[in-house]
Amino acid sequence: MFLLVGTGAGNRHLARELGITERTVKAHIARIVEKLEQQTRLQVAVLAVLAHEQLCSDPQCECHEAGVPPGSLVTAAA
């Protein structure tokens, strides 16, 4: 969920992608914000973008395929 927040996708899109409710997405994101001691979802999204290359183990990830430089924001269609 942490890395998905960095895509810029909205709660509805994340819920569909993960097969969970929007309410559950909101709860997970609130908990991530709290655990990372941040104040906003945007701050968490920035951290996710910065950490993406180190944490993403998916060889099919668009960031790996596109050669996106670390720290660049890749947005998903909402």
Side-chain angles (χ1 to χ4, degrees):
M1 176 71 76
F2 172 64
L3 292 179
L4 291 175
V5 172
T7 67
N11 290 347
R12 182 172 294 160
H13 178 81
L14 294 176
R16 280 192 304 247
E17 185 76 22
L18 297 172
I20 59 178
T21 67
E22 284 185 63
R23 183 176 178 175
T24 302
V25 169
K26 289 178 185 179
H28 283 306
I29 291 173
R31 187 71 173 135
I32 291 168
V33 169
E34 180 184 328
K35 284 282 195 178
L36 294 179
E37 298 179 352
Q38 299 301 305
Q39 294 176 355
T40 66
R41 175 189 179 133
L42 177 59
Q43 291 172 324
V44 170
V46 169
L47 291 176
V49 169
L50 294 174
H52 186 96
E53 190 172 300
Q54 290 79 31
L55 297 176
C56 183
S57 61
D58 181 5
Q60 301 300 318
C61 178
E62 293 176 9
C63 292
H64 299 300
E65 292 174 5
V68 175
S72 295
L73 179 62
V74 177
T75 58

